Structure formats: C-alpha cells, structure tokens
Amino acid sequence: MGSIGVFDSGYGGLTILKEIIRVLPQYNYLYLGDNARAPYGTRSFEAVYQYTGEAVRKLFDMGAQLVILACNTASAKALRTIQQVDLPVLAPERRVLGVIRPSVEALANYSHNGHVGILATRGTVASGSYPLEIEKLYGQRFHITQLACPMWVPLVENNELEGEGAEYFIRKYLRELFAADRQIDTIILACTHYPLLRPLIEKQVPPHVNIIGQGHIVADSLSDYLRRHPEMDCRLAKGGKVDYYTTDRAELFEHIAGIFMGHAIKCKQIQICS
Ligand code: DGL
C-alpha cells in the first residue's frame, strides 16, 4: 500500500497539501520540498526537468503511487515529459499529476468579462503553458495577461510574509498587471507559493476582482480523479498520516511549515540528487 506524494520546490506546495488533506484526510501523504534548490522559477527548462525527475523518483522509492507536482513551474516544464517519456519506463502503473490543467478547467467559474491575469514565476510565464491550455480548452474566450513576479517566491522562502518589504513588491507587480489590462476581473495565483502572500495581495486588488488560489481546485480535482480511478485508489493506504521531507534544514522547515499548516510538524532532511 502506498502514499500520495506532494512535491514542490519549497514551501509553496503546502498551500496545496493543506487543502488536499482537508478534502481527503484519509490518505497517507509524503510532502517533499526541495528547499535547498529553490527557487525553480528562474531556472532553465533542463534544470527544472532534472530536479523534478529526481524528486519524483525519490518519492516513488519512498512508496508514493501517485505524485502531485504542487508546483506550477515543475508542472509547466517537466510534467509532460515525465508523463510521456519517463513514467512508461520507470513505473507504468504509477501516476504524476500537475496543477495547471485543473486550474484552467476551473477558470470558467470565476471570470465574468473574460479578462484574466496570470501571476506566476518567470519559468511558468515563459513556458506559455497557461495561455496554451486556456486556448485549448476555451478557444479565444479569454483575454490573458501574464506577469512574472520573481520577488514573491524569495519573500515566501524567507518567511517575509508581511511588512514594508513584502508590501512594496506586492504593490509593484499588481500595479504592472493592472496597467497592462485595467479590465482584469480574475487573477490566478499560478505559483503555489503566492497564496501565502494572499492577505497582502487582497489589500492591493480592487474588491470586485476574484483571486483564485489553486489549493481547493487541485484538491477537488484529485478527489474526482480517485473516484474515477478505483485501481489507483485501492493501492493507496488510508492511515491519515503525513510525513514531511526537505532537502534543506529540517528545523527551519518545521518552523515555517508549522506556522502555515496551523500545527507543529516533524520533518526529516533528505538528499534527492542522484
Ligand atoms: N511554487 C512553485 C510554483 O508554483 C515554484 C516557485 C519557485 O521555486 O520558483 O511555480
């Protein structure tokens, strides 16, 4: 019997894990944050693919049957190759899923006027994954403005979630976004780190604008996936256990993740490089 692996470059995936546990508390989870090599958002396609592949293999070795890439950058740059090239050789019966497709599917429930802002890392923006997926699903229905917010991940990784510094960088990117399209009525926080800055983001955004975080969307989509795939569901242990792993200092991870998850957590430092 195996677990569900949840992977991110660092703390951001906790915004997904927290919602997944809320919706599906019965499963066993392995959370892996590659904090030692974060951020991924500024790295090349090759580096993100290599690091993500190593993390997936590590999670498989640790017993994950299904891995969620709780990271937009990894979903944008590595998911397709892992699914199509690596998985059939490595573990054809296991699955790796991402966060972009479920977010795009949910978009139609939010935007009224079709003007959508995508805030993400440089890597996700440059990959063009969101505009491509949106066009595939909806044709020309949405007017998309993408913006990279490269300072937001370092704020989160350094636990700078409030204060003048954080406020400055949040204001700066949101001004740029609305200067590009004043009609935006929906923003996708297309980086799993960004919901940790949500209280400050909400202060800078007009009240009629919907802000979409991905946690509940990915959680609902996973729940639906498991209902449709009983052959996967029956391979997953149901012990309600969550184990946390980081590639950097465990005490620091325990401190920051504990604040975010709302309870103390225990974490182990591991190496994932081959
Ligand atoms: N949290 C990740 C994402 O959703 C990556 C952030 C980073 O490491 O740059 O894109």
Side-chain angles (χ1 to χ4, degrees):
M1 284 296 218
S3 308
I4 298 176
V6 178
F7 169 69
D8 181 45
S9 60
Y11 298 110
L14 294 169
T15 63
I16 304 287
L17 177 70
K18 193 175 180 177
E19 286 299 313
I20 292 180
I21 293 175
R22 194 178 58 73
V23 174
L24 300 165
Q26 65 272 36
Y27 294 96
N28 287 358
Y29 295 95
L30 299 171
Y31 183 87
L32 174 56
D34 191 8
N35 299 76
R37 298 191 288 194
Y40 279 16
T42 45
R43 297 196 189 273
S44 67
F45 175 92
E46 290 76 15
V48 173
Y49 169 58
Q50 181 201 322
Y51 295 173
T52 306
E54 288 170 357
V56 167
R57 274 188 284 277
K58 186 74 187 182
L59 284 163
F60 282 172
D61 288 348
M62 291 160 80
Q65 295 295 317
L66 168 66
V67 173
I68 308 292
L69 299 185
C71 174
N72 288 270
T73 311
S75 299
K77 292 188 160 183
L79 179 64
R80 183 161 304 192
T81 316
I82 289 176
Q83 283 176 333
Q84 294 179 356
V85 179
D86 301 326
L87 210 52
V89 181
L90 195 65
E93 73 298 346
R94 303 199 200 188
R95 289 291 171 267
V96 181
L97 306 173
V99 291
I100 295 178
R101 180 74 189 195
S103 309
V104 167
E105 283 170 357
L107 182 60
N109 305 328
Y110 291 90
S111 179
H112 299 297
N113 68 7
H115 287 254
V116 175
I118 311 276
L119 299 178
T121 63
R122 280 198 180 118
T124 300
V125 168
S127 74
S129 297
Y130 272 90
L132 279 170
E133 283 292 329
I134 290 171
E135 198 181 324
K136 244 196 262 166
L137 210 59
Y138 303 108
Q140 301 298 321
R141 175 168 159 198
F142 290 101
H143 182 276
I144 307 296
T145 304
Q146 296 198 92
L147 185 72
C149 309
M151 289 304 291
W152 288 8
V153 169
L155 288 173
V156 172
E157 287 294 307
N158 292 290
N159 203 22
E160 291 284 342
L161 304 181
E162 51 193 28
E164 276 173 37
E167 276 181 23
Y168 170 82
F169 283 111
I170 283 166
R171 208 169 34 242
K172 174 178 158 59
Y173 296 134
L174 288 171
R175 274 194 188 149
E176 253 179 72
L177 181 73
F178 283 99
D181 180 4
R182 290 202 183 287
Q183 294 187 64
I184 286 172
D185 77 347
T186 300
I187 292 175
I188 304 184
L189 300 181
C191 169
T192 55
H193 281 62
Y194 296 174
L196 290 157
L197 298 167
R198 188 170 182 139
L200 296 191
I201 295 171
E202 275 171 357
K203 275 207 234 163
Q204 303 288 338
V205 163
H208 71 277
V209 173
N210 294 309
I211 301 173
I212 310 181
Q214 299 173 298
H216 65 285
I217 293 170
V218 174
D220 289 346
S221 156
L222 176 60
S223 164
D224 184 51
Y225 177 86
L226 292 173
R227 237 189 336 266
R228 287 185 289 110
H229 293 274
E231 77 291 351
M232 171 57 76
D233 188 64
C234 71
R235 298 216 307 276
L236 297 171
K238 288 153 187 100
K241 198 164 152 278
V242 189
D243 292 317
Y244 295 87
Y245 298 89
T246 175
T247 53
D248 207 339
R249 286 169 45 212
E251 319 82 73
L252 183 62
F253 189 94
E254 284 172 358
H255 174 66
I256 297 180
I259 296 172
F260 181 70
M261 297 303 285
H263 54 82
I265 64 124
K266 276 280 160 212
C267 176
K268 272 199 197 118
Q269 180 173 359
I270 55 167
Q271 283 198 346
I272 57 175
C273 324
S274 37

